[in-house]
Amino acid sequence: MRKSTPPLNALRAFEAAARLGSFSKAADDLCVTPGAISQQVAGLESYLGIPLFDRVRKRLQLTEAGRAYLPPLSAALDRMEAATVDLLAHGGHGGDLTIGALPTLAERWLIPRLPQFQEGHPEIRIRLKTLEVNFATPNREPDLHGGQIDLGLFFGDGNWPGLAAEKLMEETLVPVAAAEYLAAESVPLPLEVIRDFPLLHHSTRPGSWRAWFNAAGLETEPEDGHSFEHFFMLIEAVRAGLGIGLLPMHTIADGLATGQLVKIHPQSLNPGRAYYIIHEQDRCDDPKVCVFKDWLRTQVRDHSPATAVSSIMK
């Protein structure tokens, strides 16, 4: 047993009592006596050196420490139960794989490719969720919900403490407009003309237009315009004719192919960050995680143009 981990029976007793608010209900849930639950919880509090319950007039109330301890402990026990169910149902081959992905990445890049994965690995069921971001922190760290998400796809610098991160692909932004919005203008447009169009912004890439103009050879301070939190919103804003947007190439492949969208200048921009496969350190040898990571690498290697290997999105 890990040195800092209390006995499992004590953890189960505390979790049940905290969840149900009663030693007697926890005893019914775990098929033991209320005295056994009380003894296990008292032993856990002694082991930790921290009270987890206040006993107020024969009623249980969680202490602040108990309230903080309950959610990750419940999540861990749920993971253990799910892993056992998967093992019994599939003998270690297959089961659920919960993936967290940024919204536009999930919609425009991952989901269209999943039928191929399903064909090759019918024994694995995908559970796809939106990967949450803590918008209160400057580094926008990913949140894997205490391990409830097996694997995530996230954009950044790859430095997230406690998580294993492998670069999947970088990001290449190009300036794009709706064909109808350009009217009689012919492309490529001069930089000075592009500067005078309404420029649409991505809220998490606030300096992208300035960097793009500088890379193209024009030092300018672009005017503030409409701003959008996700690339799928920005794509629709461009389609609607609100202005010109800097978009990852693979987000707009269909629009370029149909002629609805037009690349207005050959200059591209690589922001310097990338998209990463992320998971908790203890998932490195998880067979389902390994299979999916191998498949993702294949998607990038075999299906991304060499000139824009990096164009997935938030």
Side-chain angles (χ1 to χ4, degrees):
M1 184 176 68
R2 292 178 173 87
K3 293 182 179 180
S4 61
T5 303
L8 179 58
N9 285 342
L11 295 174
R12 293 176 67 231
F14 162 72
E15 191 275 338
R19 172 168 45 86
L20 298 172
S22 163
F23 282 170
S24 61
K25 290 180 181 179
D28 291 340
D29 189 55
L30 298 180
C31 299
V32 297
T33 66
I37 296 292
S38 178
Q39 184 177 4
Q40 289 286 358
V41 170
L44 177 61
E45 291 176 319
S46 176
Y47 182 97
L48 298 172
I50 300 173
L52 300 173
F53 287 107
D54 286 324
R55 283 75 169 174
V56 180
R57 296 179 183 177
K58 297 184 179 181
R59 295 184 60 184
L60 289 180
Q61 292 183 358
L62 284 167
T63 63
E64 183 176 352
R67 287 194 297 272
Y69 199 31
L70 178 61
L73 182 57
S74 294
L77 291 173
D78 287 343
R79 284 174 54 190
M80 292 170 59
E81 182 177 2
T84 303
V85 170
D86 272 349
L87 180 65
L88 294 174
H90 303 281
H93 302 285
D96 291 346
L97 179 66
T98 303
I99 299 167
L102 295 167
T104 310
L105 170 59
E107 176 189 351
R108 301 294 178 103
W109 191 84
L110 182 58
I111 291 174
R113 290 167 165 77
L114 284 180
Q116 180 184 354
F117 179 81
Q118 184 180 40
E119 182 179 353
H121 303 280
E123 75 282 4
I124 298 177
R125 295 184 303 272
I126 299 297
R127 306 292 190 223
L128 184 59
K129 298 182 178 182
T130 299
L131 191 61
E132 293 184 4
V133 179
N134 183 353
F135 291 100
T137 60
N139 54 355
R140 296 169 53 83
E141 293 183 356
D143 178 9
L144 297 184
H145 296 278
Q148 295 184 62
I149 291 177
D150 299 311
L151 179 146
L153 298 175
F154 198 73
F155 181 81
D157 61 7
N159 182 25
W160 298 296
L163 295 178
E166 175 186 334
K167 184 184 288 188
L168 182 64
M169 58 184 89
E170 296 186 358
E171 181 179 79
T172 300
L173 303 174
V174 295
V176 177
E180 294 182 357
Y181 182 73
L182 292 177
E185 298 280 358
S186 59
V187 295
L189 298 178
L191 295 176
E192 291 79 6
V193 173
I194 296 174
R195 179 188 57 192
D196 293 337
F197 270 98
L199 302 178
L200 305 179
H201 301 264
H202 192 294
S203 60
T204 67
R205 317 282 203 281
S208 293
W209 271 117
R210 183 190 311 109
W212 182 86
F213 278 112
N214 289 343
L218 179 64
E219 292 190 10
T220 185
E221 187 64 36
E223 292 187 7
D224 290 337
H226 298 304
S227 179
F228 303 88
E229 184 180 18
H230 298 293
F231 272 129
F232 72 81
M233 298 175 179
L234 184 54
I235 293 169
E236 294 309 312
V238 170
R239 289 182 186 273
L242 285 176
I244 295 172
L246 276 176
L247 293 167
M249 278 291 295
H250 286 177
T251 72
I252 55 172
D254 57 343
L256 294 175
T258 61
Q260 292 179 321
L261 300 177
V262 177
K263 183 179 174 183
I264 63 172
H265 195 278
Q267 179 66 49
S268 62
L269 178 68
N270 294 94
R273 294 184 292 169
Y275 290 87
Y276 286 81
I277 305 169
I278 59 175
H279 53 78
E280 293 188 340
Q281 297 285 354
D282 61 4
R283 298 297 179 91
C284 290
D285 297 324
D286 185 306
K288 290 175 291 186
V289 169
C290 292
V291 164
F292 198 77
K293 286 171 67 174
D294 287 342
W295 177 78
L296 287 171
R297 297 184 193 108
T298 301
Q299 293 302 302
V300 174
R301 183 180 66 245
D302 295 348
H303 301 290
S304 294
T307 56
V309 138
S310 62
S311 333
I312 62 174
M313 66 234 59
K314 174 179 181 299

